[in-house]
Every structure is written in structure tokens, then in C-alpha cells.
Amino acid sequence: MNPNSYTAQLGTNVTMTCETSGLAINGIVLAYYSTTPPITPYFIYLNMYPNFTDKYVVRFSTTGNNITVYLTILNVDLQDQYYSYDCTCYMYGGCFPVVSS
């Protein structure tokens, strides 16, 4: 996710981006982790199934075989400082090259 670290004012929105190339959209996973034990993933978006709350907005933009994912954290609060966010490719959910014709 970009940026790697970010400082935000309370109550503002923060958008992070994740860029992939040559992968299918159904293989993208967005999750957040607690920065203190237990470090368990909480899925925001998994294998094309959103698990949104009123806290997140996820958008996708495609250009050719490139996918840009935008994850917006709404209304930043003090609790958000304890989370780390991750954008990965879920191998069994479709982490495979897109075939262009």
C-alpha cells in the first residue's frame, strides 16, 4: 500500500493505493492487522466479496492489464493508529495472469 506510513488528522479521510499488473481482480485481498498481538487479519475485501463497514470505501480502476485499488479509511480516529493495512494477491482466489487477446 502506498504511502508506507501516513499521519492524518482526526476526522479526515485517508486513501491508500495498491497497484497490480497482469492479475485478475478476483485475486485481490485487502486486510488490516492489529500492530499488537494477536496479529490477526481482518478482511475488508476478499476474493471479490467486500466486507465493508461504514469505515471503508474500496474502488478499482483498470487500464489494460493494470489494476489500481483505492482503499479509503473514512473519519480517521484514534483506534486507527493500531492497525497496519495490506494489499495482497490471494493465490487460490485468482492470482493468475490476465490473458489479453
Side-chain angles (χ1 to χ4, degrees):
M1 302 293 289
N2 290 313
N4 291 331
S5 66
Y6 193 86
T7 302
Q9 292 185 345
L10 294 176
T12 61
N13 299 338
V14 174
T15 300
M16 294 173 277
T17 59
C18 172
E19 296 183 2
T20 68
S21 179
L23 299 176
I25 200 166
N26 65 331
I28 294 173
V29 176
L30 297 173
Y32 65 93
Y33 299 81
S34 174
T35 55
T36 59
I39 301 175
T40 304
Y42 299 93
F43 296 106
I44 300 167
Y45 186 90
L46 174 64
N47 200 20
M48 294 185 68
Y49 295 101
N51 185 23
F52 303 147
T53 63
D54 57 356
K55 184 74 175 165
Y56 304 103
V57 174
V58 177
R59 294 181 301 114
F60 296 92
S61 172
T62 59
T63 304
N65 287 343
N66 299 320
I67 300 170
T68 303
V69 182
Y70 302 92
L71 170 64
T72 301
I73 304 169
L74 302 173
N75 193 23
V76 170
D77 59 33
L78 288 174
Q79 196 68 19
D80 293 321
Q81 69 182 319
Y82 301 110
Y83 299 120
S84 174
Y85 292 83
D86 190 32
C87 175
T88 59
C89 186
Y90 178 57
M91 180 62 80
Y92 301 106
C95 187
F96 51 84
V98 173
V99 178
S100 298
S101 57

